[in-house]
C-alpha cells in the first residue's frame, strides 16, 4: 500500500514535469533574429553545379586539398555531405518531375537565428553573432558531439582522425575573414560565376527573393526556405522545384530548437525544490507511522504480558483449588476407608 | 590485480582469468589506438552518426541500470521499508561503480577528455540538456561515493568518520533521488532537440518521463537480478540477515516493478495516442516498437505480477532479466536503431568490433571491482560492530562471514 502511494507520487511529479512544457513554451518570446544581420541567398534556378564555391571556400578557409580536384564534376554523381575538410558541398538532383534538367543545391551551415548547436552545447562553444554568423570556439569544446546530434541540418562535423585535439568544423559565414576586413563577401559567394549566391542583410535578401518571384512568374515556388524553418535561418534558399526534391527537410516545423528543450529544463528547479520537501515529508510520515507502530507494539506486548500474568494467576488458582479439592477428596477417601475398615473389623469380631 | 599476467603461474590459468586477461589485453591495445589514431581509428562513428555504442550502451544503459542505487535507498530510508535494508549496500555499490564506469567510458568517447570538467568549472552552457546531465552525474557520483564510504570505513576500522556519514544517510538519499530524477529523465530529454532525427514512435515530449519511470523499473529489476547472480557467486559472503531478507526484497521489488511497468506501459500508449501516431504501428518500425512494448514491458510486468501472486521467486529472476533487456533495448532504440531512421541504410551506424570490445572491457573492470569490494568489505553482511539488526538467534559466533573482513591479507585471486 505504501509503495502504491510512493509510485503515485512519483507518477504525479513526473507528469507535472512533462506537462510543464506547454505552459512554459507559451510564455516564450519568438526571437526574430538580430536586426541587420547578414546572410546569403541561394538561388537553385541559377546554380550550374560548377563547384567553384567549394573551391572558393576551401581557399579562403585554408582547408586541406580534396582528393578529387574541384573541377572534377564526377563527384556530383554521389550525394555528399559536409565533412571536417569541406564546409560546403554542392549536390546534383536528377529526374525531378517538372524540372527541365538536373537541379543543384549548395549546402552548408544555415546560421540559424536560434541555433540548435548553440543551445545544445554544454560549454557554450557556439555564438550567434549579431552579424548573423554562428561561430565556434575551440578553446572550450569538449568534443562531446551533442551539437551534431542537435543540428537539424546535419551540419557540424568532427575531426575523427585527430586523437587528442579534434575540432568541430563547419561553415563560419566567413566571419573571421569579413570582420578582419580580409574579405568583403564570403569566399563561396565571391567565387560563384553566375551569382547564384547573394550576400547581404537578411531582410534585404528576403526582399530580393520576393522581387524575383514577382519578376519571373512561374520560375519559382513562392517559398523561401529558411525564412521560418526551425525559427528561421540566415542562409536562405529559393527554387523552382520543391525543396524536398533537393534533399532538404520540409518537415522541420517552425519551432526554434531551444524551445524544444526549454520545457524539460524548466522543470529542473521544480524538481530540485519540490522533491526534497516531498521526500522529507514522506520520511516524516513513515517515521511517525513507525513510532506509532512501535508504541502500539509496546502496548500490545504489555497487554499480552498482563494477560499472560492474569492467565497464569488464574491457572495457579485453579490448580490450587483443584489440588485442595483433591487433597480433601483424598482425606475423605482415607477417612472413609478407615471407617469402612473399622466397621468391617467390628463385624468380623462380632461373628 | 594479478589477472594481468595470466600465464605467470599455472594455477592462475583458470578460464575466468584467461578470459579477463584477453579482454584486458585487447582493452589496452584499443585504448592505445584510440589515443593515437583518434576515434576514426577504432570506431565506426561518422558525421551522420556522432554517437555510437559507447553512448548507447555505456552511457544510456549504464546510467539506467545503475538506478538500483537510488530506488533501493529511497525505498529503505525514505519510504521506511526497513526490511530492504540489506539490499541497500549492494545496490549503492553497483550504482557507484556503474556511474564511475560511465564517466570512465566517456573519456574514450569525447574528443578532449581532460576537458570533461569544463562545463562545470570553466564555462557552463545552461541551455543544454547535456549540461544538466553532466552536472547531475557529477554530483551524484560524489553522493554515491559518500554513501558507499561507510562500508570502506568499517573495513578500515574508522568508526568515527563512519558514524558521521551514517548520520547523513537521509540527506544523502534525498539528494540522490533528486539528482537521479533529473538526470535519468534528462538522458531522454537529450533527444527532445532532434524531432527530425528520432522516429516518431520513440520521439515524444514525454520522453523524459519515459526515461525516468523506466529507470525505476530498471533499478528494481537490477537489484533482483544482481541478487540472484550474487547469490550464486558470493553466497559465502552473505549474512543471515541478507539471506533471510533476500526473498522479501525480491517479492517486494517484484510488486513495485510490476506496478511501475504497468504505469510505464500505459504512458507509452498515451504517448502514441496523444500525437495520434497509431498509423506508424503498421510499419516495420511499428512492429519493432510493439516488440519492445509487448515483449519487454508488458510481458515482464505480467511475470512480475504472477511472481507476487504465487510467491514464485524463480519467475522474478526471468522477469527481471526481461525488464533489464527491455530497458537496454529501449535505450538502444532511442539512441541508435530509431535514430537517423530516415538516412539511407548505407549511412546508418553499426559499431566496429573495437567499440564493442571497449564496452566489454569496461564492464569487466566493473565486475572485478564489484567482486573485490564485496569480498573485502561489509556489503552483503553487516559488520559485527555496526549492526543495526538484532542478530538472529544462534547466529552470533557462527559462520566465517563475520570474520572475513579481518582476512584481507588473502592472496587476491579473482579466479578460484
Ligand atoms: S545549421 Fe546547424 S550548425 Fe548551423 S547554426 Fe543551425 S544548428 Fe548550428
Ligand atoms: S562537441 Fe564541442 S561544440 Fe559540440 S556540443 Fe560538444 S562541446 Fe559543444
Ligand atoms: S560562407 Fe565562407 S565558410 Fe561558409 S561555405 Fe561560404 S566560403 Fe565556406
Amino acid at each position: 500500500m505504501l509503495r502504491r502511494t510512493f509510485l503515485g507520487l512519483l507518477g504525479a511529479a513526473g507528469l507535472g514535469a512533462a506537462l510543464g512544457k506547454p505552459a512554459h513554451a507559451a510564455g516564450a518570446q519568438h526571437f526574430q533574429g538580430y536586426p541587420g544581420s547578414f546572410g546569403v541567398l541561394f538561388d537553385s534556378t541559377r546554380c550550374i553545379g560548377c563547384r567553384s564555391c567549394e573551391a572558393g571556400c576551401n581557399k579562403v578557409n585554408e582547408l586541406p586539398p580534396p582528393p578529387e580536384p574541384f573541377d572534377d564534376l564526377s563527384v556530383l554523381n554521389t550525394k555528399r555531405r559536409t565533412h571536417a575538410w569541406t564546409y560546403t558541398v554542392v549536390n546534383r538532383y536528377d529526374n525531378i518531375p517538372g524540372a527541365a534538367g538536373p537541379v543543384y543545391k549548395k549546402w552548408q551551415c544555415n546560421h540559424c537565428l536560434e541555433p540548435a548547436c548553440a543551445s545544445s552545447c554544454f560549454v557554450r562553444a557556439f555564438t550567434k553573432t549579431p552579424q548573423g554568423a554562428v561561430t565556434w570556439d575551440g578553446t572550450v569544446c569538449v568534443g562531446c558531439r551533442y551539437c551534431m546530434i542537435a543540428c537539424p541540418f546535419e551540419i557540424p562535423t568532427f575531426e575523427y582522425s585527430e586523437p587528442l585535439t579534434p575540432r568541430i568544423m563547419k561553415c563560419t559565414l566567413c566571419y573571421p575573414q569579413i570582420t578582419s576586413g580580409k574579405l568583403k563577401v564570403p569566399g563561396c559567394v565571391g567565387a560563384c560565376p553566375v551569382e547564384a549566391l547573394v550576400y547581404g542583410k537578411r531582410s534585404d535578401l528576403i526582399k530580393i527573393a520576393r522581387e524575383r518571384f514577382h519578376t519571373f512568374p512561374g520560375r519559382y515556388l513562392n517559398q523561401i526556405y529558411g525564412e521560418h524553418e526551425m525559427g528561421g535561418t540566415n542562409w536562405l534558399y529559393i527554387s523552382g522545384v520543391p525543396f524536398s526534391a533537393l534533399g532538404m527537410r520540409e518537415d522541420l516545423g517552425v519551432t526554434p530548437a531551444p524551445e524544444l528543450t526549454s520545457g524539460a529544463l524548466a522543470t529542473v528547479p521544480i524538481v530540485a525544490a519540490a522533491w526534497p520537501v516531498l521526500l522529507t515529508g514522506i520520511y516524516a510520515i513513515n517515521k511517525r507511522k513507525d513510532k506509532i507502530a512501535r508504541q502500539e507494539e509496546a502496548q500490545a506486548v504489555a497487554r499480552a504480558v498482563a494477560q499472560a500474568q492474569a492467565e497464569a494467576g488464574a491457572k495457579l488458582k485453579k490448580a490450587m483449588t483443584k489440588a485442595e479439592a483433591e487433597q480433601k477428596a483424598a482425606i475423605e477417601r482415607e477417612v472413609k476407608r478407615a471407617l469402612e475398615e473399622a466397621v468391617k473389623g467390628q463385624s468380623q469380631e462380632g461373628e | 590485480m594479478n589477472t594481468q599476467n595470466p600465464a605467470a603461474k599455472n594455477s592462475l590459468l583458470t578460464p575466468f582469468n584467461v578470459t579477463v586477461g584477453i579482454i584486458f589485453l585487447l582493452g589496452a591495445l584499443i585504448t592505445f589506438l584510440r589515443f593515437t589514431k583518434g576515434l576514426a581509428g577504432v570506431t565506426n562513428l561518422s558525421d551522420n552518426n556522432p554517437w555510437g555504442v559507447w553512448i548507447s550502451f555505456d552511457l544510456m544503459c549504464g546510467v539506467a541500470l545503475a538506478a538500483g542505487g537510488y530506488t533501493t535507498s529511497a525505498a529503505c530510508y525514505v519510504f521506511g521499508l526497513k526490511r530492504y535494508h540489506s539490499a541497500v549496500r549492494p545496490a549503492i555499490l553497483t550504482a557507484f561503480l556503474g556511474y564511475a564506469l560511465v564517466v570512465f567510458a566517456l573519456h574514450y568517447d569525447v574528443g578532449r577528455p581532460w576537458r570533461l570538467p569544463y562545463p562545470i568549472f570553466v564555462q557552463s552552457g545552461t541551455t543544454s540538456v547535456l549540461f544538466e546531465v553532466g552536472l547531475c552525474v557529477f554530483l551524484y557520483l560524489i553522493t554515491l561515493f559518500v554513501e558507499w564510504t561507510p562500508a570502506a570505513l568499517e573495513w578500515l576500522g574508522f568508526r568515527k568518520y563512519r558514524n558521521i556519514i551514517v548520520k547523513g544517510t537521509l540527506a544523502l538519499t534525498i539528494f540522490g533521488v533528486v539528482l537521479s530524477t533529473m538526470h535519468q529523465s534528462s538522458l531522454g530529454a537529450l533527444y527532445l532537440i532532434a524531432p527530425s532525427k528520432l522516429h516518431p514512435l520513440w520521439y515524444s515530449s514525454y520522453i523524459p518521463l519515459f526515461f525516468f519511470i523506466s529507470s525505476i523499473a530498471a533499478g528494481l529489476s537490477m537489484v533482483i537480478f544482481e541478487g540472484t547472480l550474487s547469490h550464486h557467486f558470493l553466497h559465502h559472503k552473505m549474512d543471515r540477515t541478507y539471506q533471510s531478507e533476500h526473498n522479501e526484497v525480491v517479492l517486494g521489488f517484484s510488486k513495485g516493478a510490476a506496478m511501475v511497468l504497468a504505469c510505464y506501459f500505459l504512458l507509452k500508449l498515451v504517448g502514441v495516442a496523444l500525437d495520434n501516431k497509431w498509423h506508424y504501428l503498421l510499419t516495420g518500425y511499428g512492429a519493432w516498437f510493439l516488440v519492445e512494448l509487448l515483449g519487454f514491458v508488458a510481458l515482464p510486468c505480467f511475470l512480475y505480477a504472477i511472481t507476487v501472486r504465487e510467491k514464485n521467486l524463480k519467475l522474478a529472476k526471468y522477469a527481471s532479466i526481461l525488464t533489464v533487456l527491455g530497458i537496454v533495448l529501449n535505450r538502444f532504440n532511442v539512441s541508435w536503431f530509431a535514430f537517423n531512421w530516415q538516412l539511407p541504410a548505407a549511412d546508418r551506424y553499426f559499431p566496429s568490433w573495437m567499440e564493442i570490445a571497449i564496452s566489454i572491457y569496461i564492464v569487466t573492470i566493473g565486475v572485478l571491482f564489484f567482486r573485490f569490494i564485496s569480498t573485502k568489505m561489509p556489503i552483503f553482511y553487516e559488520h559485527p560492530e555496526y549492526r543495526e539488526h538484532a542478530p538472529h538467534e544462534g547466529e552470533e559466533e557462527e559462520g566465517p562471514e563475520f570474520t572475513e573482513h579481518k582476512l584481507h591479507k588473502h592472496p587476491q585471486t579473482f579466479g578460484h
Side-chain angles (χ1 to χ4, degrees), chain B residues 12 40 42 71 76 85 92 106 138 142 151 167 207 229 234 238 250 256 266 270 329 345 352 361 388 412:
Chain B
L12 292 178
V42 293
T71 37
C76 178
H85 188 260
I92 292 283
L106 286 179
F138 169 73
I142 298 175
K167 281 216 183 73
I207 197 172
L229 268 193
L234 295 163
M238 295 167 176
V250 170
L266 290 178
V270 169
L329 181 63
S352 72
Y361 166 65
E388 279 185 24
Q412 298 166 1

Side-chain angles (χ1 to χ4, degrees), chain B residues 67-235:
Chain B
Y70 85 91
T71 37
T72 313
S73 53
C76 178
Y77 297 127
V78 177
F79 296 91
L81 306 174
K82 292 273 162 47
R83 57 185 194 279
Y84 300 154
H85 188 260
S86 57
V88 172
R89 277 207 178 165
I92 292 283
L93 174 63
T94 320
F96 171 56
L97 288 177
Y99 277 86
L101 291 174
V102 164
V103 174
F104 180 64
L106 286 179
H107 284 74
Y108 285 82
D109 189 75
V110 304
R112 308 191 196 207
W114 64 92
R115 283 185 179 176
L116 275 171
Y118 272 31
I120 298 165
F121 296 109
V122 176
Q123 187 162 302
S124 303
T126 47
T127 54
S128 168
V129 178
L130 193 60
F131 171 73
E132 195 200 331
V133 172
L135 184 64
C136 289
V137 167
F138 169 73
L139 292 176
Y140 190 46
L141 186 60
I142 298 175
T143 311
L144 279 172
F145 177 75
V146 177
E147 283 187 286
W148 164 78
T149 44
L153 293 174
E154 282 171 21
W155 179 54
L156 296 168
F158 293 149
R159 176 182 285 267
K160 216 169 94 197
Y161 301 109
R162 180 261 180 204
N163 289 345
I164 294 173
I165 292 171
V166 167
K167 281 216 183 73
T169 302
L170 177 68
L172 282 173
T173 304
I174 290 182
F175 195 48
V177 175
V178 172
L179 292 172
S180 297
T181 311
M182 287 184 195
H183 72 258
Q184 294 286 0
S185 54
S186 303
L187 278 181
L190 282 177
Y191 290 89
L192 282 177
I193 205 160
S196 59
K197 296 186 185 175
L198 182 57
H199 190 280
L201 281 175
W202 283 274
Y203 186 91
S204 158
S205 50
Y206 284 91
I207 197 172
L209 188 59
F210 293 160
F211 266 55
F212 175 59
I213 294 197
S214 59
S215 86
I216 302 175
L220 297 173
S221 301
M222 274 305 275
V223 171
I224 296 173
F225 176 59
E226 260 177 75
T228 48
L229 268 193
S230 306
H231 247 272
H232 242 274
F233 297 109
L234 295 163
H235 192 81

Side-chain angles (χ1 to χ4, degrees), chain A residues 108-112 114-118 126 134 147 150-156 170 233:
Chain A
Q108 70 301 299
C109 172
N110 285 326
H111 301 276
C112 308
E114 294 179 72
C117 56
F126 293 95
V134 175
C147 48
C151 173
F153 303 110
E154 292 162 353
I155 287 305
K170 72 164 196 71
T233 59

Side-chain angles (χ1 to χ4, degrees), chain A residues 117 120-126 136-137 140-148 156 158 168, chain B residues 130:
Chain A
C117 56
S120 68
C121 177
F122 67 166
V123 287
R124 274 191 287 127
F126 293 95
W136 172 84
D137 172 9
V140 285
C141 171
V142 182
C144 69
R145 309 187 295 285
Y146 185 39
C147 48
M148 299 166 69
F158 187 72
I168 291 288
Chain B
L130 193 60

Side-chain angles (χ1 to χ4, degrees), chain A residues 3 32 50 52 105 142-143 148 156 189 197 207 225 268-269 283 325 334-335:
Chain A
R3 224 170 297 113
Q32 295 296 333
C50 66
S52 304
K105 176 200 69 181
V142 182
M148 299 166 69
V189 176
L197 295 163
K207 265 185 226 139
Y225 191 95
V268 170
Y283 169 76
E334 287 299 306
V335 173

